[in-house]
Amino acid sequence: MTALFLSLCVCLALALSNAAPAHHDVMIKDAPEDERQSHPKGEELHDAKPDRCKGVEFDAITPDEKGNTFFFKGDHLWKGFVGSAELSSSIFKELDDYHHLGHVDAAFRMHHQDDASVHDHIYFFLDDKVFSFYNYTLEKGYPVEIQQEFPGIPSHLDAAVECPKGECITDSVLFFKGNETYSYDIKTKTVKKKMWTHLPNCTSAFRWLEHYYCFHGFNFTRFHPVSGEVTGTYPKDVRHYFMRCGEGFGHGGGARKLRCSEVKLHAVTTDDKGRSYAFHDAMYLRLDTHRDGSHRFPISRSWKEISGGVDAVFSYGDNMYIIQGSQIYIYKSAAHYTLIEGYPKPLKEELGIDGPVDAAFLCPKQDTVYFIQGQKMYEVDLAATPRVVKKEIPIPFPKIDAGLCDADGVKVFIGPEYYSYESPMILAMSRIKPIPQKISPEKFGCED
Ligand SMILES: *[C@@H]1O[C@H](CO)[C@@H](O)[C@H](O)[C@H]1NC(C)=O
Ligand SMILES: *[C@@H]1O[C@H](CO)[C@@H](O)[C@H](O)[C@H]1NC(C)=O
Ligand SMILES: *[C@@H]1O[C@H](CO)[C@@H](O)[C@H](O)[C@H]1NC(C)=O
Ligand SMILES: *[C@@H]1O[C@H](CO)[C@@H](O)[C@H](O)[C@H]1NC(C)=O
């Protein structure tokens, strides 16, 4: 798993021209107040542009509403994973009015869809003030005292990161200061203090594709946003993962995304929370979060008990059914996927069909699941007891890779192409294949 994570992260920098992970600084922040005022911050802040490949301890990292990631250090920032530093005030102009501060302590992108007046705004923290930006423009009435907007949160923060409902229990923000973490509930404005003493002091924090990273020094550590738990081998050097640094940082240099023409899905599904996933070999890709980029992670990262690839996946109610060979795993889907006790079980025993299957799908608000095995489609009513194959229908394809049914109808995937039908019955009855559509970079995070 560690090796996989490594090789995956290799392609991170390249994968996303649009999205960026972020990082933060300690040197400046930790300097005593008077020293900050009287001493120049050193060559990297004044004479020359800082070079993040030489090792920079970032002050803050945040995505914007378009999915670009900004890394901040002193009065400079980097936009995205590739490229050189520029003055922060060239993008966030009003920060210049407070330029004497010369840095930001922390930043995050607010996730709170219930309130359009704050959702997707970027919040910057400077000493005891908070600034809210949208569309790169300072919102009226800002800056304000941090405690006015975020009661219970201290000044002179080190790091901050959004944590949407589903990943945290409620829409929240995690704030970091020294060895303390504050979990702030956006709606109720309640604060829970956490002592995650196993975590290093984070100088910046970043959420990227449902993963949470604490940056410290030139390193980062991935943690769980609710428990603070760290799994895997950390810390890792930021330069191998979150930026492209060439020589000596081979990881960031040579990898690339899968070409769309090489894609062969094994399964695809959308759960009741609207999360869409594509499965390919032992990896999965989230399909509905493209704003912030796309990246393949090992299936076992989200569905711990699954090793290797899967054959078919479908969602029914708040459960996700994963078929591997002749076995079926049923996961409860909440913030995380939890295997239901007693699983995996033989597919035959659970659904009355022999594995393996090529694809399985269920249309929204229906109880009938369709399995495809070679040129046959089988119908099983999940509301019936016992569950048995009700109908067997031939389909006009010799072999398919994956199938999906959503509000737009059925999609049948074969290699890098897919065919759309209005319904499973129309798929079964149609004599003429529709024109195939290509798996596209926009929808599948691959490379043209
Ligand atoms: C964003 O700001 C630019 C000018 O800085 C303006 O032209 C544009 O209309 C704004 N977009 C939105 C969505 O407010
Ligand atoms: C972490 O922060 C605490 C203050 O909360 C400080 O005492 C400690 O020295 C810091 N540790 C490191 C390694 O900087
Ligand atoms: C956290 O830092 C404070 C100093 O700010 C220190 O007194 C305390 O022992 C630290 N706690 C841990 C668990 O390191
Ligand atoms: C990064 O982590 C390694 C251990 O993996 C440690 O030896 C090194 O000192 C750390 N460097 C920085 C700058 O944090």
Side-chain angles (χ1 to χ4, degrees), residues 342-356:
Y343 291 88
K345 277 187 188 171
L347 183 59
K348 179 81 178 172
E349 181 186 321
E350 182 73 22
L351 297 173
I353 183 166
D354 286 304

Side-chain angles (χ1 to χ4, degrees), residues 31 35-36 45 58 60 86 97 131 155 158 202 204 207 237 271 288 339 374 408 417 433:
E35 221 172 86
R36 275 193 227 172
L45 299 185
F58 297 107
E86 56 190 304
D97 301 342
F131 296 67
S155 299
D158 288 333
C202 312
S204 60
R207 167 181 177 261
D237 191 313
D271 76 3
D288 57 311
L339 187 64
D408 301 329
E417 295 181 332
K433 276 185 205 164

Side-chain angles (χ1 to χ4, degrees), residues 57 216-220 234-237 239:
E57 187 166 66
H216 46 97
F218 315 151
N219 291 332
F220 68 96
Y234 292 95
K236 297 188 200 293
D237 191 313
R239 293 168 288 180

Side-chain angles (χ1 to χ4, degrees), residues 46-77:
H46 286 272
D47 313 342
K49 286 183 181 181
D51 177 356
R52 57 179 158 177
C53 289
K54 291 207 172 117
V56 164
E57 187 166 66
F58 297 107
D59 292 333
I61 308 170
T62 184
D64 69 8
E65 70 272 14
K66 299 187 177 76
N68 303 300
T69 300
F70 292 99
F71 297 76
F72 295 86
K73 173 67 174 181
D75 53 4
H76 279 80
L77 61 70

Side-chain angles (χ1 to χ4, degrees), residues 330-342:
I330 305 183
Y331 283 86
K332 182 124 195 104
S333 86
H336 301 278
Y337 293 96
T338 316
L339 187 64
I340 292 177
E341 219 186 302

